[in-house]
């Protein structure tokens, strides 16, 4: 097991806050993908990272409105795709074989591995592993949306491992309408 890094600590704090919050009026799905053990050359290339995010947008049936790319002087890149549905972004640490990828979209819920608030791990090739030791076949939630986008990023960057955490984002109901938590299918 790897030590808990700064990004993982941020994800853990976000997860703790999400689990303790009130029921939400769902506005979108937020997936945080940690790309592991990707080749230095892929993560240090603006063309390769931009291509992976473009492929993710195409695979997820997302509409790109704009792009911003920055290559750091020594190594690493940051890429942002502004979407009509929200955004995709990637920040790379080529010397560590690591990229932090943020995928946030409005619209219908996406089917992602393991369930909301449950971190998934994957060795590539291989299946997603859930905290309860369930195995979810890679690509089993394919068919567009964020699941397709996640797979496209991993393939485009040549990753051999990944961690994924996702949650629904939105607003709590107005104070007068707060009641019992909605059933799982009602979000």
């Amino acid at each position: 097991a790897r030590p808990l890094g700064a990004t993982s600590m941020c994800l853990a704090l976000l997860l703790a806050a999400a689990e303790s919050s009130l029921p939400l009026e769902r506005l979108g799905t937020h997936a945080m993908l940690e790309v592991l053990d990707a080749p230095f050359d892929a993560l240090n290339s603006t063309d390769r990272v931009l291509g992976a995010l473009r492929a993710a947008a195409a695979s997820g049936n997302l509409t790109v409105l704009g792009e911003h790319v920055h290559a750091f002087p020594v190594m690493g890149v940051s890429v942002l795709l502004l979407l009509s549905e929200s955004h995709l972004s990637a920040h790379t640490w080529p010397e560590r074989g690591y990229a932090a990828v943020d995928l946030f979209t409005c619209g219908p819920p996406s089917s992602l591995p393991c369930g909301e608030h449950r971190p998934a791990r994957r060795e590539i090739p291989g299946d997603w592993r859930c905290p309860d030791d369930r195995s979810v076949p890679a690509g089993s939630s394919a068919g567009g949306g964020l699941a397709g986008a996640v797979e496209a990023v991993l393939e485009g960057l040549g990753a051999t491992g990944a961690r994924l955490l996702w949650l629904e984002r939105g607003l709590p109901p107005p104070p007068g309408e707060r009641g019992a938590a909605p059933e799982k299918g009602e979000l």
Side-chain angles (χ1 to χ4, degrees), residues 88-185:
L88 301 178
S89 66
H91 309 282
T92 72
W93 288 260
E95 74 280 14
R96 314 246 358 231
Y98 175 84
V101 180
D102 192 60
L103 306 99
F104 182 54
T105 64
C106 312
S110 290
S111 175
L112 291 165
C114 301
E116 184 180 16
H117 302 161
R118 291 182 170 74
R121 300 176 73 81
R122 181 163 166 214
E123 298 296 323
I124 301 168
D127 296 336
W128 289 100
R129 300 295 297 175
C130 303
D132 60 6
D133 249 359
R134 269 183 313 124
S135 179
V136 178
S140 67
S141 37
L146 285 180
V150 164
E151 295 299 327
V153 168
L154 294 174
E155 182 178 326
L157 295 179
T160 62
R163 289 189 300 244
L164 174 68
L165 178 67
W166 65 276
L167 60 139
E168 301 296 355
R169 302 290 300 266
L171 298 169
E177 297 177 24
R178 293 180 183 163
E183 294 297 317
K184 190 67 175 168

Side-chain angles (χ1 to χ4, degrees), residues 1-183:
R2 295 170 193 243
L4 197 60
T7 302
S8 296
M9 288 172 52
C10 290
L11 292 177
L13 291 171
L14 184 59
L15 175 60
E19 287 181 335
S20 66
S21 66
L22 295 168
L24 296 178
E25 172 194 349
R26 189 191 164 284
L27 297 176
T29 303
H30 192 167
M32 292 146 288
L33 175 66
E34 294 184 302
V35 175
L36 306 173
D37 302 320
F40 180 95
D41 291 343
L43 296 178
N44 205 40
S45 165
T46 54
D47 290 339
R48 183 90 179 259
V49 176
L50 179 59
L53 290 189
R54 284 175 175 163
S59 181
N61 300 313
L62 304 170
T63 307
V64 178
L65 300 175
E67 301 173 346
H68 187 77
V69 177
H70 178 76
F72 292 96
V74 177
M75 69 182 84
V77 303
S78 289
V79 175
L80 170 69
L81 295 187
L82 179 63
L83 308 173
S84 65
E85 299 85 358
S86 194
H87 71 272
L88 301 178
S89 66
H91 309 282
T92 72
W93 288 260
E95 74 280 14
R96 314 246 358 231
Y98 175 84
V101 180
D102 192 60
L103 306 99
F104 182 54
T105 64
C106 312
S110 290
S111 175
L112 291 165
C114 301
E116 184 180 16
H117 302 161
R118 291 182 170 74
R121 300 176 73 81
R122 181 163 166 214
E123 298 296 323
I124 301 168
D127 296 336
W128 289 100
R129 300 295 297 175
C130 303
D132 60 6
D133 249 359
R134 269 183 313 124
S135 179
V136 178
S140 67
S141 37
L146 285 180
V150 164
E151 295 299 327
V153 168
L154 294 174
E155 182 178 326
L157 295 179
T160 62
R163 289 189 300 244
L164 174 68
L165 178 67
W166 65 276
L167 60 139
E168 301 296 355
R169 302 290 300 266
L171 298 169
E177 297 177 24
R178 293 180 183 163
E183 294 297 317

